[in-house]
Amino acid sequence: MKQLRLGVLAGLFVAAGVLSWGGARLWDSLGTLPSVPLAASIVLAVIAAILLATALSLRARLRAQRERRPGAKGVEPLMAARAVVFGQASALVTALVAGIYGGTGVFLLSFLDVPPRRDQAIYAGAAVVAGIAVIAAAFFLERVCRLPEDSDDNHDGTGAAAA
């Protein structure tokens, strides 16, 4: 399974941001720019929390399995792979969404003296920050599920960290 690359995510973010900034300028010249929903940052923050909770749960289960604690619940390789795919997909989509809100937010920075536009710029900035949290949680989840380089400590044949 290929790992996430920060360069790809940054490229998606910048490309979406530039297109969104240009689209916001065009849309504003033709009419009223659609508002940035407050729910965008909330939804992204919830996704980041879910990814982080998944990573912490898998890390604890893998640690318990590695230490051979009695009654430790192992991690199936397919479950770990699904978690990694969920994290990668979330990071890729979030890079696009955060780029869109980032571009719109940059456009709105020139209108900070107008209270409704200032609020929209704040919502867009919060969405970008929440998007960064999603990407960080996805990288952490991927790191937790990565196979060790030298699997000396995992010769019990379970292949628990296979992702």
Side-chain angles (χ1 to χ4, degrees):
M1 184 175 294
K2 291 186 178 184
Q3 291 185 341
L4 280 175
R5 301 222 185 266
L6 193 56
V8 170
L9 296 175
L12 284 171
F13 177 83
V14 169
V18 168
L19 289 173
S20 174
W21 175 80
R25 283 189 59 168
L26 178 64
W27 195 311
D28 193 55
S29 69
L30 298 175
T32 304
L33 185 67
S35 63
V36 176
L38 175 61
S41 57
I42 295 170
V43 168
L44 289 173
V46 168
I47 292 170
I50 291 170
L51 286 171
L52 183 62
T54 302
L56 293 174
S57 172
L58 287 174
R59 184 176 72 169
R61 289 172 66 180
L62 287 169
R63 181 175 295 146
Q65 185 177 1
R66 188 173 44 249
E67 293 172 356
R68 294 189 172 91
R69 291 185 199 155
K73 191 173 180 183
V75 177
E76 294 179 24
L78 188 56
M79 185 175 97
R82 287 178 181 157
V84 170
V85 169
F86 170 60
Q88 289 179 346
S90 297
L92 289 167
V93 170
T94 298
L96 287 171
V97 170
I100 290 169
Y101 287 127
T104 304
V106 168
F107 170 75
L108 291 170
L109 286 177
S110 60
F111 299 103
L112 291 180
D113 54 336
V114 180
R117 295 247 173 150
R118 180 178 52 241
D119 293 343
Q120 296 300 305
I122 291 170
Y123 297 161
V128 171
V129 170
I132 292 170
V134 169
I135 292 170
F139 271 107
F140 180 61
L141 176 60
E142 187 177 66
R143 183 176 170 268
V144 165
C145 293
R146 185 178 62 214
L147 285 172
E149 296 299 324
D150 258 349
S151 59
D152 291 336
D153 60 344
N154 197 14
H155 281 306
D156 59 355
T158 62

